[in-house]
Each structure stands twice: as C-alpha cells, then as structure tokens.
Amino acid sequence: LLMNWSKNDTVSQKEISRLIDNSKVQTQGRVIGERQIENAKILKLDNSIEVLCQSCSSQINRTLSIVGVVESYQNKTQIRALTIETS
C-alpha cells in the first residue's frame, strides 16, 4: 500500500499508529533524541515520532523531512527512513 501524498502532506504520531505496516509516509520534525541500536539509530522527533535510520550520522537538534515506511516493533509504531533531508 502506497499513500498518495504531496510534499506538504505529513503524518503525526496519532496518524501513523492507525496505518498498516509498509505504508509509505512523509513527516518532519526536529530531532530531540537519538539512540544507537546495532548499525542503526532511532531518532526521536519533537512530534513524538520515532524514525529508524540505517547508517546515519548524528542528527540531534536538526529539523528533518523524512520519507519512509511504517513499521511495528515491540508494540511501537515507527517509521523506517527511506530518505532524509535537512530543512
């Protein structure tokens, strides 16, 4: 399932929790926290969305625009980033 969206359409934490896994979404926010897990980072945005980023450098305090897919992991809904742009 791919969602139709324009550059201005972004999802909130409440919206992504209602989507099925592998739905393509876009969001943006400022990174307020990050933690390393194996070869990836979990970025916590100021809108409470968690983003899984493979092999990315520190993004703390940066505002990002993210396109990714919805995933569920340990009863949490997060976005696995496909592309990340700094704003």
Side-chain angles (χ1 to χ4, degrees), residues 10-11 25-29 45 47 49 51 64-67 79:
T10 61
V11 294
V25 295
Q26 177 175 328
T27 193
Q28 65 181 46
L45 303 182
N47 57 10
I49 292 177
V51 178
L64 306 176
S65 293
I66 299 156
V67 174
I79 296 173

Side-chain angles (χ1 to χ4, degrees), residues 6 9 14 19 25 35 46 63 66 77-78 80 82:
S6 71
D9 292 335
K14 188 175 183 178
L19 295 174
V25 295
R35 66 184 190 277
D46 61 353
T63 300
I66 299 156
T77 303
Q78 60 190 23
R80 181 172 41 89
L82 299 174

Side-chain angles (χ1 to χ4, degrees), residues 18-59:
R18 293 185 294 212
L19 295 174
I20 61 171
D21 283 359
N22 295 316
S23 297
K24 189 173 181 180
V25 295
Q26 177 175 328
T27 193
Q28 65 181 46
R30 187 174 58 85
V31 179
I32 58 171
E34 58 185 29
R35 66 184 190 277
Q36 187 75 36
I37 56 164
E38 297 179 17
N39 65 339
K41 286 190 182 192
I42 301 286
L43 308 176
K44 176 82 169 196
L45 303 182
D46 61 353
N47 57 10
S48 299
I49 292 177
E50 289 189 350
V51 178
L52 177 66
C53 176
Q54 298 288 334
S55 305
C56 64
S57 60
S58 179
Q59 301 294 323

Side-chain angles (χ1 to χ4, degrees), residues 69-84:
V69 292
V70 175
E71 291 185 340
S72 297
Y73 179 72
Q74 295 183 344
N75 293 326
K76 285 187 175 182
T77 303
Q78 60 190 23
I79 296 173
R80 181 172 41 89
L82 299 174
T83 63
I84 296 178

